[in-house]
């Protein structure tokens, strides 16, 4: 089964309304999934979650009226309470922070990559990732014809405005990885994770996209890989008050859920007995990319299916040694050809599901 596909246009409010109406049932399911996760994993009551969400939303309205109206539109289109939709859009800050305070081994999923033209058989820049997350979360692909700025195509969760992994008509692309540090704090509410994703894909140049990430402090830590056709690729590890830029080596770049060199950056990561699994996936990704040079789409598809160290592999499967609430699976495998403006995505594990191709026209 393919991921749901939406074509959006008009104002952010209108885009949100179509998103909400089209994915109404999936949004309702995601609200229930995250409500359970907040209660069971983060030990937060519904009242407390909504209280924090309200605080975030009031700040967001000052940061980006466009994103605020997108959230409002989703609430209207799906006939959901505004705070429930806002909770989905702030779930990165609220859930990661709360879990991190109680269960330090929680952040562990997603493997990103990029390869430059000199190591690709067709001479194009290719980026993508396996996005690993909660098995029950519902997702979709959205193609957005913006009123101002580039058109976009992105993978997102039902109920989250914009997209988190995707590219635009200027050949600019984005991948993401969750991470954390000991100084993350949701209540220090800077621009949230999903707003930054939305803004990155709204810009025509790599330089402007980079400013979205590095130009202001953050509440919580995350990793972003951004690149552009006929330009370059850069990985940015973003802690609340500092960041680290990482460039490809030998035309190859990989990243997972840990800082490459936290000591040099004077960054402290919380204890995590599973961090070695993140390091394994990153090293395995880079090793396979180097081994298969010159690379092509078919070769990268096979890498995204890799089961070395299964179930904690690049192609991620539930680990029976962990409790169900800590199960993580690959929700989508993504390949983006930045020069051709093409995306190939799976709905679920790449080892079990076909890649569907989408084209983003200028």
């Amino acid at each position: 089964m393919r991921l749901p596909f939406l074509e959006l246009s008009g104002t952010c409010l209108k885009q949100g309304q179509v998103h909400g109406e089209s994915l109404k049932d999936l949004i309702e399911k995601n609200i229930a999934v995250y409500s359970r996760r907040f209660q069971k994993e983060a030990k937060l009551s519904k009242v407390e979650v909504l209280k924090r969400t309200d605080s975030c939303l009031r700040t967001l309205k000052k940061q980006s009226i466009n994103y605020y109206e997108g959230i409002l539109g989703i609430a209207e289109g799906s006939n959901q309470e505004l705070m429930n939709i806002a909770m989905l859009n702030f779930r990165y800050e609220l859930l990661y922070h709360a879990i991190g305070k109680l269960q330090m081994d929680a952040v562990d999923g997603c493997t990103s990559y990029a390869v430059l033209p000199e190591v690709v058989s067709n001479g194009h820049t290719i980026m993508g990732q396996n996005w690993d997350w909660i098995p029950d979360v519902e997702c979709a692909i959205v193609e957005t014809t913006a009123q101002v700025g580039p058109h976009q195509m992105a993978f997102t969760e039902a109920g989250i405005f914009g997209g988190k992994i995707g590219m635009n008509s200027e050949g600019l692309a984005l991948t993401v990885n969750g991470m954390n540090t000991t100084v993350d704090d949701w209540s220090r509410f800077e621009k949230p994770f999903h707003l930054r994703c939305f803004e990155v894909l709204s810009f025509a140049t790599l330089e402007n996209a980079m400013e979205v990430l590095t130009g202001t402090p953050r509440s919580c830590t995350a990793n972003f890989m951004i690149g552009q056709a006929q330009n370059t690729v850069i990985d940015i590890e973003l802690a609340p008050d500092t960041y680290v830029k990482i460039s490809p080596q030998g035309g190859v770049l990989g990243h997972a859920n840990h800082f490459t060199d936290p000591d040099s950056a004077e960054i402290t990561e919380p204890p995590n007995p599973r961090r070695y699994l993140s390091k394994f996936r990153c090293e395995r990704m880079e090793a396979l990319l180097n081994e298969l040079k010159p690379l092509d789409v078919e070769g990268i598809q096979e890498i995204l299916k890799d089961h070395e160290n299964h179930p904690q592999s690049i192609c991620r499967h539930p680990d029976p040694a962990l409790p169900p609430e800590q199960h993580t699976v690959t929700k989508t495998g993504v390949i983006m050809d930045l020069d051709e403006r093409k995306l190939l995505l799976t709905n679920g594990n790449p080892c079990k599901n076909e890649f569907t191709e989408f084209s983003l026209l200028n």
Side-chain angles (χ1 to χ4, degrees):
M1 183 182 297
R2 296 183 177 186
L3 286 162
F5 175 74
L6 304 181
E7 292 182 287
L8 307 177
S9 61
T11 65
C12 289
L13 179 65
K14 179 61 177 177
Q15 293 172 31
Q17 289 168 338
V18 174
H19 178 139
E21 184 177 357
S22 302
L23 302 178
K24 182 176 180 179
D25 293 343
L26 303 186
I27 291 169
E28 183 176 8
K29 181 178 177 182
N30 280 354
I31 291 169
V33 168
Y34 278 111
S35 295
R36 289 194 300 268
R37 302 289 288 215
F38 274 114
Q39 185 172 14
K40 189 163 187 178
E41 284 187 89
K43 310 302 181 187
L44 294 175
S45 67
K46 181 73 170 181
V47 171
E48 180 59 28
V49 171
L50 294 182
K51 179 181 176 182
R52 296 183 182 190
T53 297
D54 180 64
S55 175
C56 294
L57 187 62
R58 283 186 279 108
T59 304
L60 176 80
K61 191 173 182 179
K62 302 173 184 177
Q63 295 168 338
S64 173
I65 190 62
N66 284 336
Y67 199 91
Y68 175 85
E69 290 186 350
I71 293 176
L72 182 62
I74 293 175
E76 292 178 356
S78 62
N79 197 29
Q80 289 284 344
E81 294 291 334
L82 177 60
M83 286 302 139
N84 283 334
I85 301 302
M87 178 266 290
L88 294 179
N89 284 267
F90 302 133
R91 65 91 175 151
Y92 187 93
E93 284 74 21
L94 297 180
L95 190 59
Y96 265 47
H97 176 261
I99 292 176
K101 294 298 182 184
L102 298 171
Q103 180 182 306
M104 295 304 186
D105 60 346
V107 179
D108 180 31
C110 303
T111 313
S112 297
Y113 67 89
V115 287
L116 299 183
E118 58 263 32
V119 299
V120 179
S121 58
N122 66 1
H124 294 177
T125 301
I126 296 178
M127 289 176 57
Q129 71 177 102
N130 272 359
W131 186 72
D132 307 335
W133 193 227
I134 301 168
D136 294 337
V137 165
E138 299 288 351
C139 305
I141 305 297
V142 295
E143 182 174 8
T144 305
T145 302
Q147 290 186 308
V148 178
H151 303 334
Q152 306 158 33
M153 184 176 289
F155 170 89
T156 191
E157 297 170 62
I160 293 182
F161 187 64
K164 66 178 91 257
I165 305 161
M167 67 184 304
N168 67 28
S169 55
E170 295 296 326
L172 190 146
L174 169 72
T175 70
V176 297
N177 305 92
M179 302 199 302
N180 57 15
T181 68
T182 56
V183 297
D184 289 9
D185 185 358
W186 74 271
S187 64
R188 174 195 170 185
F189 200 70
E190 304 289 347
K191 282 188 178 182
F193 173 86
H194 286 108
L195 171 57
R196 291 180 196 265
C197 293
F198 169 77
E199 291 186 340
V200 164
L201 292 176
S202 298
F203 279 106
T205 70
L206 191 67
E207 292 72 24
N208 286 338
M210 195 176 303
E211 179 65 17
V212 169
L213 302 176
T214 63
T216 58
R218 280 71 52 188
S219 302
C220 295
T221 305
N223 184 76
F224 297 84
M225 192 180 290
I226 55 175
Q228 189 165 30
Q230 307 303 315
N231 195 335
T232 190
V233 174
I234 192 77
D235 187 275
I236 308 176
E237 298 175 336
L238 284 169
D241 293 306
T242 189
Y243 60 88
V244 178
K245 294 181 181 180
I246 304 170
S247 298
Q249 298 296 315
V252 167
L253 181 60
H255 207 282
N257 306 100
H258 61 280
F259 281 88
T260 304
D261 189 357
D263 293 338
S264 295
E266 298 182 346
I267 289 168
T268 302
E269 296 176 288
N272 186 342
R274 296 210 302 266
R275 187 164 289 121
Y276 76 97
L277 296 169
S278 173
K279 294 178 180 179
F280 165 81
R281 285 184 285 104
C282 184
E283 292 169 1
R284 177 70 174 169
M285 173 63 77
E286 291 189 336
L288 290 173
L289 291 171
N290 281 305
E291 181 181 314
L292 291 182
K293 292 177 181 176
L295 292 147
D296 57 25
V297 167
E298 291 74 20
I300 295 173
Q301 286 179 349
E302 292 305 308
I303 291 174
L304 297 184
K305 299 175 185 178
D306 187 68
H307 282 159
E308 184 72 20
N309 200 42
H310 184 278
Q312 301 281 359
S313 42
I314 289 176
C315 184
R316 193 73 169 273
H317 293 264
D319 189 341
L322 297 174
E325 62 268 18
Q326 292 185 32
H327 284 182
T328 301
V329 301
T330 297
K331 296 293 295 181
T332 187
V334 183
I335 301 171
M336 298 182 284
D337 185 318
L338 278 56
D339 295 79
E340 292 189 356
R341 315 294 198 265
K342 288 185 177 179
L343 293 83
L344 294 91
L345 304 98
T346 63
N347 183 13
N349 288 96
C351 67
K352 298 178 179 179
N353 298 278
E354 296 293 324
F355 284 83
T356 300
E357 182 176 303
F358 299 88
S359 292
L360 180 62
L361 301 177
N362 288 297

Coordinates of all heavy atoms in Angstrom, one line a residue, residues 10 13 45 128 136-137 139 147 153 156 162 164-165 199 210-211 249 259 272 328 353:
G10 N -2.6 27.3 -2.2 CA -3.3 28.4 -1.6 C -2.6 28.9 -0.3 O -1.4 28.6 -0.1
L13 N -3.5 28.5 5.7 CA -4.8 28.1 6.3 C -5.5 27.1 5.4 O -6.0 26.0 5.8 CB -5.7 29.3 6.5 CG -7.1 29.0 7.1 CD1 -6.9 28.4 8.5 CD2 -7.9 30.3 7.2
S45 N 0.2 13.8 32.2 CA -1.2 13.7 32.1 C -1.6 14.5 30.9 O -0.9 15.4 30.4 CB -1.9 14.2 33.3 OG -1.7 15.6 33.4
G128 N 18.9 11.2 1.3 CA 17.7 10.4 1.8 C 18.0 9.9 3.2 O 18.9 10.2 3.9
D136 N 2.9 2.6 15.0 CA 1.5 2.9 14.8 C 1.2 4.3 14.2 O 0.1 4.7 13.9 CB 0.7 2.8 16.1 CG 0.6 1.4 16.6 OD1 0.8 0.5 15.7 OD2 0.4 1.2 17.8
V137 N 2.3 5.2 14.1 CA 2.1 6.5 13.6 C 1.7 6.5 12.1 O 2.4 5.8 11.3 CB 3.3 7.4 13.8 CG1 3.3 8.7 13.0 CG2 3.4 7.7 15.3
C139 N 1.3 8.3 8.3 CA 2.1 9.3 7.6 C 1.6 9.6 6.2 O 0.6 8.9 5.8 CB 3.6 8.8 7.5 SG 4.3 8.5 9.1
Q147 N 2.4 29.9 -2.5 CA 2.0 31.2 -3.0 C 3.3 32.0 -3.3 O 3.4 32.8 -4.2 CB 1.1 32.0 -2.1 CG -0.3 31.4 -2.0 CD -1.3 32.2 -1.2 OE1 -1.0 32.6 -0.1 NE2 -2.4 32.6 -1.8
M153 N 7.8 19.1 -2.0 CA 7.3 17.7 -1.8 C 7.9 17.1 -0.6 O 9.2 17.1 -0.5 CB 7.5 16.9 -3.0 CG 6.8 15.5 -2.8 SD 6.9 14.5 -4.4 CE 5.8 15.4 -5.4
T156 N 5.5 13.6 5.8 CA 5.1 14.1 7.1 C 4.2 13.1 7.8 O 3.8 12.1 7.2 CB 4.4 15.5 6.9 OG1 4.3 16.1 8.2 CG2 3.0 15.3 6.3
G162 N 3.2 21.1 6.9 CA 4.5 21.1 6.2 C 5.1 19.7 6.0 O 4.3 18.8 5.7
K164 N 8.8 17.0 7.0 CA 10.1 16.8 7.7 C 11.2 16.3 6.9 O 12.4 16.6 7.1 CB 9.9 16.0 9.0 CG 9.5 14.6 8.7 CD 9.4 13.8 10.0 CE 8.0 13.8 10.5 NZ 7.8 14.7 11.6
I165 N 10.9 15.5 5.9 CA 11.9 15.0 4.9 C 11.4 15.3 3.5 O 10.3 14.9 3.2 CB 12.1 13.5 5.1 CG1 12.4 13.1 6.5 CG2 13.2 13.0 4.1 CD1 12.1 11.6 6.8
E199 N 10.4 25.9 7.2 CA 11.0 27.1 6.7 C 12.2 26.7 5.8 O 12.5 27.4 4.8 CB 11.5 27.9 7.9 CG 10.3 28.6 8.6 CD 10.8 29.6 9.7 OE1 11.9 29.5 10.1 OE2 9.9 30.5 10.0
M210 N 20.3 27.3 5.6 CA 21.2 27.1 6.7 C 21.0 28.1 7.8 O 21.0 27.8 9.0 CB 22.6 27.2 6.2 CG 23.7 26.6 7.2 SD 25.3 26.6 6.5 CE 25.1 25.7 5.0
E211 N 20.6 29.3 7.5 CA 20.4 30.4 8.4 C 19.1 30.1 9.3 O 19.1 30.4 10.5 CB 20.2 31.7 7.7 CG 19.9 32.9 8.6 CD 21.0 33.3 9.6 OE1 22.2 32.8 9.3 OE2 20.7 34.0 10.6
Q249 N 32.9 13.2 3.2 CA 34.3 12.7 3.1 C 34.3 11.7 1.9 O 33.6 10.7 2.0 CB 34.8 12.1 4.4 CG 34.9 13.1 5.5 CD 35.9 14.2 5.3 OE1 37.0 14.0 4.8 NE2 35.4 15.4 5.7
F259 N 26.0 12.7 18.4 CA 27.0 13.7 18.0 C 28.3 13.0 17.5 O 28.7 12.1 18.2 CB 27.3 14.7 19.1 CG 26.3 15.7 19.3 CD1 25.2 15.5 20.1 CD2 26.3 16.9 18.6 CE1 24.2 16.5 20.3 CE2 25.4 17.9 18.8 CZ 24.3 17.7 19.6
N272 N 23.2 6.9 27.5 CA 22.3 6.1 26.6 C 23.0 4.8 26.3 O 23.9 4.7 25.5 CB 22.0 6.8 25.3 CG 21.0 6.1 24.5 OD1 20.7 4.9 24.6 ND2 20.4 6.8 23.5
T328 N 10.7 0.4 17.7 CA 10.9 1.3 16.6 C 11.0 0.6 15.3 O 11.7 -0.5 15.2 CB 12.2 2.2 16.8 OG1 12.1 2.8 18.1 CG2 12.4 3.2 15.8
N353 N 8.5 -3.4 1.2 CA 7.6 -2.6 0.4 C 8.4 -1.9 -0.7 O 9.6 -1.6 -0.6 CB 7.1 -1.5 1.4 CG 6.3 -2.0 2.5 OD1 5.1 -2.3 2.4 ND2 6.9 -2.2 3.7

